[in-house]
Amino acid sequence: MTSPTRKRSDRSRKLTQTEKLEIAERAKRIVRLTESPGDYGANCAPLTRGDCVLIGKAVRSGWDVPESKRQEIVQQMLAALDTDDDRLALSVLNLMIAMEAANAES
């Protein structure tokens, strides 16, 4: 049985519809800004939520990532946005926002 405290904390962690729309809108703007001519249909391993955590750590810590790997990561992120997994899509959107913030700082 779930305690009342646990139920309240679960509800407080959920995003509102407005917050979801704002995150999606920001992600679309980021994608439009980062899109460059080329082939985004390359075969690559599917991105997972664990990958998003690691990439986010790399972004926040300023790890030196080769340019070719950066392009591959962006391709995987774009492919992950087309999945039916809402949690993965939100992780990718939050990661895109973090990447945008890191670019603005540098």
Side-chain angles (χ1 to χ4, degrees), residues 21 26 33 83 92:
L21 290 174
R26 286 189 71 187
L33 292 175
T83 65
V92 169

Side-chain angles (χ1 to χ4, degrees), residues 55-93:
I55 295 167
K57 183 175 182 176
V59 167
R60 287 187 303 278
S61 301
W63 293 357
D64 186 28
V65 179
E67 186 64 34
S68 61
K69 191 65 176 173
R70 290 179 187 186
Q71 292 174 354
E72 182 181 331
I73 290 169
V74 170
Q75 290 174 359
Q76 291 174 337
M77 290 169 61
L78 292 172
L81 288 175
D82 292 332
T83 65
D84 293 334
D85 186 359
D86 293 336
R87 295 178 72 190
L88 175 61
L90 281 175
S91 294
V92 169
L93 293 173

Side-chain angles (χ1 to χ4, degrees), residues 22-71:
E22 287 173 2
I23 291 171
E25 201 53 47
R26 286 189 71 187
K28 287 177 187 176
R29 279 191 304 230
I30 293 169
V31 169
R32 274 188 250 126
L33 292 175
T34 58
E35 275 185 3
S36 59
D39 180 20
Y40 284 106
N43 292 334
C44 53
L47 196 67
T48 64
R49 290 180 59 225
D51 295 334
C52 291
V53 171
L54 182 60
I55 295 167
K57 183 175 182 176
V59 167
R60 287 187 303 278
S61 301
W63 293 357
D64 186 28
V65 179
E67 186 64 34
S68 61
K69 191 65 176 173
R70 290 179 187 186
Q71 292 174 354

